[in-house]
Amino acid sequence: MLHPQQFEVNEAWIVFRLNGMPVRTERDGDFNCIALMDAASCFILGSEFIPATAAEPTRAQFRRLLKKGQRQKEQLPKTLFIAREDVADLIAREATHQSIDVVRVAESQLLVFIGEARQGFAERFEEAR
């Protein structure tokens, strides 16, 4: 089982969908929020809203997300964790292109990292519906 104490800061990052239900906007429709988190600190390095109809972020969106993380941490991680259940082919290709090892794990193994962030997001944006 994975745990934040297994990692050094900047060693591994996690990319995941922050929301449980799409975020609805009147003007532009529904969106999912994709977040990038440092595995050791559980600090969210950045996020991108993508249309709920998109299976995953575009390469450009994921690059922006990586750049946000890189600006905050002044480096890229060695490893990127992605939930096995998520469609993330473009993300995996771009991470590999950036010399980041991609590790696919069951989402249940990531909950210790991402659970609190998801709960906070749900309380702020989803339960208001």
Side-chain angles (χ1 to χ4, degrees):
M1 186 70 146
L2 296 173
H3 195 274
Q5 294 175 340
Q6 290 176 257
F7 302 98
E8 297 292 325
V9 172
N10 297 332
E11 177 184 357
W13 292 352
I14 302 164
V15 64
F16 66 102
R17 187 169 53 126
L18 190 55
N19 57 301
M21 298 174 8
V23 176
R24 175 158 287 154
T25 66
E26 287 183 28
R27 190 175 130 212
D28 296 317
D30 295 347
F31 289 87
N32 286 318
C33 183
I34 305 302
L36 187 64
M37 174 184 281
D38 178 74
S41 64
C42 296
F43 181 79
I44 293 184
L45 303 166
S47 62
E48 284 282 327
F49 281 90
I50 66 167
T53 55
E56 67 177 308
T58 64
R59 208 167 167 182
Q61 288 169 320
F62 182 62
R63 276 190 201 138
R64 268 196 311 272
L65 198 52
L66 279 179
K67 284 191 184 297
K68 287 177 188 177
Q70 188 174 23
R71 275 194 302 273
Q72 293 232 9
K73 298 296 187 175
E74 299 179 357
Q75 68 184 62
L76 290 172
K78 296 175 189 162
T79 305
L80 180 69
F81 286 101
I82 304 171
R84 197 177 290 132
E85 296 85 352
D86 291 345
V87 175
D89 298 332
L90 291 173
I91 289 172
R93 276 198 297 277
E94 182 59 27
T96 300
H97 180 73
Q98 299 280 343
S99 300
I100 302 169
D101 294 328
V102 175
V103 178
R104 303 295 299 246
V105 298
E107 185 176 69
S108 61
Q109 290 189 46
L110 298 176
L111 290 177
V112 69
F113 302 93
I114 67 175
E116 191 174 320
R118 279 187 171 168
Q119 181 181 351
F121 190 90
E123 288 170 3
R124 175 75 171 99
F125 294 103
E126 294 173 5
E127 294 178 6
R129 285 186 175 191

